[in-house]
Structures are given as structure tokens and as C-alpha cells.
Amino acid sequence: MTLIYDERSARSHDAGAEAFQALATAAAGWGALRAAVELRLPDLLPETPTAVTELAALAGAAPTRLAQLVAVLADVGVLALDERALVSHTPLSRALRSADGLPLTRLLTAGWADEAWRGLADGVRADASPFELVHGHSLFARFATDPAAAEVFHEAVATGPGDPFDEAIRAALDLTGVARVADVGGGRGRLLAALLREHRKVSGVLFDLPEAVRDAAPELRGDDRVEIRAGDLFVDRVGSADVYVLRTVLHMLDDEQAVRALANVRADAPAHARVVVVEALSDDPEHRTYAAHSSLRLFVLCGGRERSTAEFAGLFDRAGLELRSVTATGTPYHLLEAAPRLNPRTDG
């Protein structure tokens, strides 16, 4: 028997093997990150280089097994491991501490969220939320009955001082001449609080589900310019405002739900009002990777997705609004500004 070596096929096989290995490495890294968060390693690790045995004692973990975990965490940049086998912080591990970015990581690695990925293939087949297929209920139904899960979610999506995305959004949002702004689906209202700090003559409305506004930012509760309203965006009215801001709300909804939400806002909007939707755009060439990954996560958790500019224009139109402008922020997020359509459609 003669063996024939095909160099081109060999190169193709090697490239495929390398790509598969990269995916396997990413999967191990994600699992390691989840374990690091559950063990609170970013919070427990001292500022000085620390032996694995000492970190294991702080975390209540088996030293040998923690060493295995730390090796992968160091490989993916979550921690640093030097030649003396001492563990140190990295910029990423510092960002994952409780005072910084840990809430978002807790959401992404929560067991009930992570388990939803098991339903991805079935969800793709059935055009159904993988979360619902796995758990038998929707994400927001989980929040209504599981206060701990609701806490993880609302803490993760809340923004605070120094959030680079919100700083860019606030800089791009023009509130000149505005008397009243409504933060629709605003969670705990930290974006609204930041806007009102910068615009002392502006009043505000925070509108979201009861479990979200229950723990509204303290400065909002002590501000007589603020009205906190608990309600369902599909049922309850938001009220009159000059500017309505929906920050990363519509990407969690399917098209029919998004139209209902926008139409509900439109019902109370004065003729001069502006409806500002803040979302990533799937047709933004500079942030296409961010939008693609975000879109898949949204599908898995709640059946949502990121949309293109044209798709948003269609949603606005169906809700009685007209897309007027799209403003880039230098981040993956854009401000899509719409206004009430004053003339009825004549296209049938």
C-alpha cells in the first residue's frame, strides 16, 4: 500500500484542529471564569503575589484543584501566575471585584442563565427562547418568583459612576430645553440619576417593573424632581415627557413586543417629544462582533436580538413613530431618535 501525503489537505486539517482547540480553550476559560466568580477569587486575592495554598485557604478550596483552576485562569488572562507559582491580579480580575464589574459576570455565569445554553440547538430549530425550553418559563417570569435571580439581573444591568458606555451615552444625549425626561425600563435608575445630576432644572420619571424600581438609586428617592412609577410597559402608561429614553430595552423583546412597548410610549408622548432608543446595531461595521455575540446571548436568555437600523425604523413606523436620526457614541451603542408621526399613513 502506498501512502500519499497531501500537503494542502494536511494544512487544512491542521487549521481545523487549531480552530477546534481554540474553541475548546474558550469553553474551559468560560467554565473557569464561572468558578472564579462563585469562589469570589477576585475579591479574596490580596494585592500582593499570593501562593495558591494561601488563596485556597481564603476561598475554602482544595489547593491541588485550585491550582488546576488558576492555571487556566492565568492562561486566559483572568489572573497572573509567575515562575514562583504566585498568583497576582490582572486588570481583568480587578474589574471583576464586587465594587466593579462582578455583578455582570454573576449574571452571565449564574447557573440558571448558564443552563439555558443547553437549549440553544432546540431553540434554533423551533424559533423559541432556549431559556424557556430549558426552564419551562420565561426569564422575567423567573424574576417575578425568584428574588435572588432578580437581584442578580437588576444589579448587573444597573450602571454606576464611571461606566464608559453610559458616559458616552450621556454625552451624546442632548437635553437642551428639556423639562422632563422618562427613563423607560430604567431598572434602578442610575442613568436617570446621572442625567439629573448634570441637568438640575430637568425633572424625571423612572418607569420599570416593581421588582426593578423597588431598589431605585437612593438619590432618586430623595429628589422631589423624580417620580418613580412601577408598571408593566405592555399595559401601564408611562405618562407625558419631553424625552423618553429606552436604554437596552427593545433588544430583550421580540418584534411584536417591541412594537407594543413603543406604541405604549407613543400614546402619552406630546407632539414635540423625542423617543430615544439606545441599542447596539447589527449593521454597525465597527462593532459587528460585539453585536453578534450580544445578539446570541439575548436569544438564549430571553428570545431577543440586536437589530439593524432598517429594522428599528420598521418598528418605529409600526408604533406610530418616525426615525429621525442615528447618533454614534464611540461605543457599540447608538442613539436612535424618533418622533411621533403626526400625519396618518396613507400607504395602506
Side-chain angles (χ1 to χ4, degrees), residues 16-237:
E18 289 177 7
F20 180 82
Q21 183 60 43
L23 287 172
T25 298
W30 185 251
L33 175 61
R34 177 179 175 181
V37 170
E38 292 181 1
L39 290 168
R40 299 183 59 244
L41 299 185
D43 281 327
L44 295 173
L45 181 63
E47 283 298 321
T48 55
T50 303
V52 171
T53 52
E54 182 180 345
L55 182 58
L58 293 171
T64 301
R65 299 309 183 187
L66 185 64
Q68 290 176 267
L69 175 61
V70 165
V72 173
L73 292 170
D75 184 61
V76 298
V78 177
L79 296 174
L81 191 63
D82 65 20
E83 65 280 356
R84 301 168 297 170
L86 297 180
V87 187
S88 301
H89 276 292
T90 66
L92 179 53
S93 67
R94 289 192 172 92
L96 292 173
R97 291 184 294 197
S98 296
D100 299 297
L102 190 58
L104 178 58
T105 308
R106 281 182 176 149
L107 170 62
L108 296 178
T109 59
W112 45 266
D114 208 33
E115 289 166 7
W117 287 88
R118 293 190 289 106
L120 180 55
D122 288 337
V124 169
R125 290 190 188 99
D127 188 18
S129 162
F131 187 99
E132 292 191 34
L133 293 176
V134 170
H135 294 291
H137 53 257
S138 72
L139 180 68
F140 290 100
R142 165 65 66 98
F143 297 155
T145 59
D146 185 345
E151 167 69 17
V152 168
F153 176 79
H154 291 297
E155 182 62 25
V157 299
T159 56
D163 181 285
F165 288 172
D166 264 16
E167 287 182 355
I169 291 166
R170 293 199 305 271
L173 181 60
D174 183 8
L175 294 184
T176 303
V178 170
R180 189 170 179 83
V181 59
D183 188 0
V184 183
R188 294 177 174 176
R190 292 182 187 173
L191 174 60
L192 178 63
L195 290 172
L196 296 185
R197 279 196 301 270
E198 297 173 4
H199 303 275
R200 303 304 303 176
K201 296 182 179 180
V202 175
S203 65
V205 177
L206 174 63
F207 182 95
D208 209 331
L209 294 167
E211 58 265 27
V213 302
R214 180 178 55 241
D215 297 316
E219 62 188 288
L220 293 181
R221 295 192 174 279
D223 192 331
D224 58 10
R225 298 176 297 160
V226 177
E227 178 185 358
I228 298 176
R229 300 187 62 186
D232 183 336
L233 185 53
F234 300 134
V235 177
D236 302 305
R237 303 288 278 269

Side-chain angles (χ1 to χ4, degrees), residues 127-343:
D127 188 18
S129 162
F131 187 99
E132 292 191 34
L133 293 176
V134 170
H135 294 291
H137 53 257
S138 72
L139 180 68
F140 290 100
R142 165 65 66 98
F143 297 155
T145 59
D146 185 345
E151 167 69 17
V152 168
F153 176 79
H154 291 297
E155 182 62 25
V157 299
T159 56
D163 181 285
F165 288 172
D166 264 16
E167 287 182 355
I169 291 166
R170 293 199 305 271
L173 181 60
D174 183 8
L175 294 184
T176 303
V178 170
R180 189 170 179 83
V181 59
D183 188 0
V184 183
R188 294 177 174 176
R190 292 182 187 173
L191 174 60
L192 178 63
L195 290 172
L196 296 185
R197 279 196 301 270
E198 297 173 4
H199 303 275
R200 303 304 303 176
K201 296 182 179 180
V202 175
S203 65
V205 177
L206 174 63
F207 182 95
D208 209 331
L209 294 167
E211 58 265 27
V213 302
R214 180 178 55 241
D215 297 316
E219 62 188 288
L220 293 181
R221 295 192 174 279
D223 192 331
D224 58 10
R225 298 176 297 160
V226 177
E227 178 185 358
I228 298 176
R229 300 187 62 186
D232 183 336
L233 185 53
F234 300 134
V235 177
D236 302 305
R237 303 288 278 269
V238 178
S240 179
D242 301 304
V243 173
Y244 299 86
V245 179
L246 292 84
R247 182 197 189 280
T248 58
V249 172
L250 299 187
H251 72 180
M252 301 190 74
L253 308 178
D254 64 30
D255 286 354
E256 296 305 318
Q257 291 172 326
V259 170
R260 286 172 57 197
L262 288 170
N264 196 24
V265 171
R266 168 68 179 88
D268 285 330
H272 68 272
R274 298 151 53 202
V275 179
V276 181
V277 168
V278 183
E279 297 283 1
L281 292 174
S282 62
D283 56 343
D284 173 11
E286 293 187 20
H287 301 99
R288 196 177 301 277
T289 297
Y290 179 95
H293 285 252
S294 174
S295 193
L296 189 61
R297 286 194 297 269
L298 288 164
F299 172 57
V300 169
L301 288 177
C302 57
R305 65 188 178 96
E306 305 293 5
R307 295 178 173 90
S308 68
T309 307
E311 287 173 318
F312 275 112
L315 296 179
F316 286 134
D317 184 61
R318 292 173 59 190
L321 298 162
E322 181 180 1
L323 178 61
R324 295 288 180 83
S325 65
V326 180
T327 303
T329 65
T331 76
Y333 294 101
H334 294 68
L335 274 57
L336 296 102
E337 185 169 316
R341 191 176 56 241
L342 301 182
N343 298 319

